[in-house]
Amino acid sequence: MSQSDSILVTGGAGFIGSNYVLSWFAADRGPVVNLDLLTYAGNPANLASLEGDPRYTFVRGDICDAELVGSLLRRHRPRAIVHFAAESHVDRSIASPEAFIRTNVQGTFALLEQARAYWTSLSQADRAAFRFVHVSTDEVYGSLAPGDPAFSETTPYAPNSPYAASKAGSDHLARAYFHTFGLPVLTTNCSNNYGPFQFPEKLIPLMILNALEGKPLPVYGDGMNVRDWLYVKDHCAAIRTVLAEGRPGETYNVGGMSERANIDVVRTICDLVDEMRPTEVDAAPRRMLITYVEDRPGHDRRYAIDARKIKRELGWQPAEVFESGLRKTVRWYLENGDWVARVRTGAYREWIEKNYAARAVL
Ligand code: NAD
Ligand code: DAU
């Protein structure tokens, strides 16, 4: 039996995965099977607009479950796998690393093994057309000093957090499955994403919601750590491009060319929230809520991505600039109070308590 036109997406109910699935259908592509465990970070409401759409199939399950993954591949016969599923929050990997090793390393291994078995069973033409896109992070490269050249695809790996180490492990497995077995794997290493549907444990949505509610804005350390921000829809476009045109066995760095110090990001968010939801006439501006707190252990100082390869070889570059993307993102959180209320469950509040309550104010 030959392949179908469908793709299997893992982790498609999370932040980037759900943006990917929505943008995939907006671009009028083929059917999607979404395998997601629905951990605290997975939210089917992100894809509520697809309810009843015959092109979309949701399966709640674990990428570590080899039998389930194998049977899904045999049943749906996808032409590609786009692998987003992961534990993704650095602070959680410091508090409880085990789930990161399980999902990011063992889960990716299980997925690669099942993909290899399925791919081996295909006709020669289908084997040649098949793709496995492994979605990874710039954090595998470690930390840059100010003035260091940006991470390129040949920068040596030097992961510093349990999260980054687990993603580095998964990248190495993905690489090995290409080199040893010929499985057509492509890896993307992307910088910090922001945009709609991001779980509010991450810097940008956390700061938007705290600013809106007049709560302290907890900036780690001196606030001078630098991240390279990319609007999530640009990341999704990059992944579609790599899937369609990338060369198997290659890695592609994806970045926003928008390096910003955390304190500048937080100040800009304060100003945008002040503009869109003005405080009472005599109330203090939201910048007054900024509170410097005890640093993240092992906090990487700076990330920066050299995205020239994907531009040169595949023609991708970001469409959004940080200021306009951030404005859209702040507006989205202000306009989607129901979504916000639904994700801030007991588990969310427990995490906020665990991560911030005992953090010393500097
Ligand atoms: P997320 O935490 O928002 O979503 C992860 C999704 O994976 C959730 O829907 C969750 O339910 C699902 N999941 C977790 N464990 C699973 C398991 N064992 N089986 C099946 N599903 C499982 O993450 P995100 O921010 O959307 O990141 C997606 C991918 O992109 C990750 O691999 C991450 O490493 C990578 N990435 C993220 C960023 C970023 O800035 N967020 C940047 C670069 C790369
Ligand atoms: O670089 C890509 C990575 O970006 C992805 O691989 C990760 O999945 C994603 O979570 C993100 O990791 P970061 O650790 O950079 O993102 P986070 O939003 O957690 O933090 C961004 C910066 O803000 C970082 O320097 C830590 C700081 N920070 C974060 C939080 C949550 C604060 O100062 N205060 C906070 O409360």
Side-chain angles (χ1 to χ4, degrees):
M1 218 200 312
S2 62
Q3 282 180 130
S4 73
D5 190 33
S6 66
I7 63 167
L8 173 68
V9 166
T10 71
F15 163 48
I16 304 174
S18 59
N19 276 287
Y20 187 78
V21 172
L22 292 171
S23 62
W24 180 263
F25 287 130
D28 212 15
R29 315 273 163 134
V32 173
V33 179
N34 175 14
L35 171 63
D36 194 302
L37 185 58
L38 299 184
T39 66
Y40 77 92
N43 184 356
N46 299 359
L47 297 167
S49 60
L50 298 176
E51 216 168 286
D53 189 324
R55 299 169 303 170
Y56 177 63
T57 306
F58 177 71
V59 179
R60 183 171 191 181
D62 192 338
I63 57 166
C64 299
D65 183 345
E67 210 171 299
L68 171 68
V69 173
S71 76
L72 284 177
L73 291 172
R74 289 190 295 276
R75 184 168 349 130
H76 293 281
R77 308 196 67 77
R79 66 177 177 86
I81 297 173
V82 185
H83 175 35
F84 295 96
E87 289 293 335
S88 70
H89 191 34
V90 173
D91 291 320
R92 286 186 193 254
S93 84
I94 295 166
S96 318
E98 196 170 342
F100 288 73
I101 305 307
R102 184 181 178 279
T103 288
N104 301 0
V105 182
Q106 293 171 4
T108 301
F109 166 67
L111 197 62
L112 285 164
E113 263 297 271
Q114 294 307 311
R116 177 167 78 96
Y118 164 67
W119 174 74
T120 307
S121 76
L122 296 174
S123 69
Q124 204 176 351
D126 284 350
R127 271 207 302 277
F130 184 79
R131 296 288 182 269
F132 184 117
V133 179
H134 173 60
V135 179
S136 192
T137 171
D138 60 357
E139 301 206 7
V140 297
Y141 298 121
S143 183
L144 296 169
D148 281 351
F151 301 131
S152 79
E153 288 79 1
T154 55
T155 301
Y157 273 32
N160 288 322
S161 70
Y163 163 70
S166 68
K167 290 297 290 188
S170 69
D171 291 12
H172 291 323
L173 285 168
R175 174 191 162 88
Y177 271 67
F178 172 76
H179 280 271
T180 304
F181 304 116
L183 184 71
V185 176
L186 304 98
T187 297
T188 56
N189 293 94
C190 186
S191 61
N192 286 61
N193 284 216
Y194 67 100
F197 301 121
Q198 186 167 31
F199 194 76
E201 63 189 355
K202 307 278 167 66
L203 179 77
I204 287 183
L206 179 92
M207 294 296 170
I208 296 170
L209 298 178
N210 280 16
L212 186 62
E213 294 167 358
K215 293 180 180 159
L217 306 177
V219 172
Y220 296 163
D222 65 1
M224 292 307 289
N225 300 67
V226 170
R227 297 291 182 265
D228 172 3
W229 294 97
L230 179 69
Y231 193 58
V232 64
K233 291 183 201 311
D234 279 327
H235 187 191
C236 295
I239 295 167
R240 286 199 303 276
T241 303
V242 168
L243 172 58
E245 289 158 49
R247 285 183 289 137
E250 291 295 314
T251 65
Y252 297 93
N253 280 2
V254 182
M257 288 178 294
S258 292
E259 282 186 61
R260 299 285 185 282
N262 292 339
I263 188 63
D264 293 330
V265 172
V266 176
R267 285 185 182 132
T268 309
I269 290 171
C270 289
D271 297 347
L272 285 168
V273 177
D274 280 348
E275 179 196 315
M276 293 182 203
R277 289 284 166 86
T279 49
E280 302 296 317
V281 185
D282 51 354
R286 262 91 174 192
R287 285 183 181 216
M288 298 304 288
L289 298 168
I290 291 173
T291 309
Y292 290 93
V293 298
E294 191 183 333
D295 210 352
R296 171 186 281 177
H299 196 175
D300 285 339
R301 195 63 174 165
R302 173 179 166 237
Y303 304 142
I305 279 277
D306 174 348
R308 281 178 296 180
K309 177 177 172 182
I310 189 171
K311 183 175 181 193
R312 187 177 62 245
E313 293 190 7
L314 308 181
W316 175 89
Q317 61 183 346
E320 196 74 56
V321 298
F322 184 65
E323 282 61 32
S324 61
L326 190 60
R327 178 173 283 277
K328 283 186 192 172
T329 304
V330 172
R331 193 177 306 280
W332 188 88
Y333 280 89
L334 299 191
E335 287 174 355
N336 285 276
D338 286 351
W339 183 92
V340 169
R342 279 204 303 270
V343 299
R344 294 206 290 183
T345 59
Y348 171 79
R349 287 194 295 275
E350 259 167 49
W351 165 252
I352 295 297
E353 173 75 13
K354 183 171 179 179
N355 193 42
Y356 296 100
R359 236 181 173 105
V361 173
L362 301 177

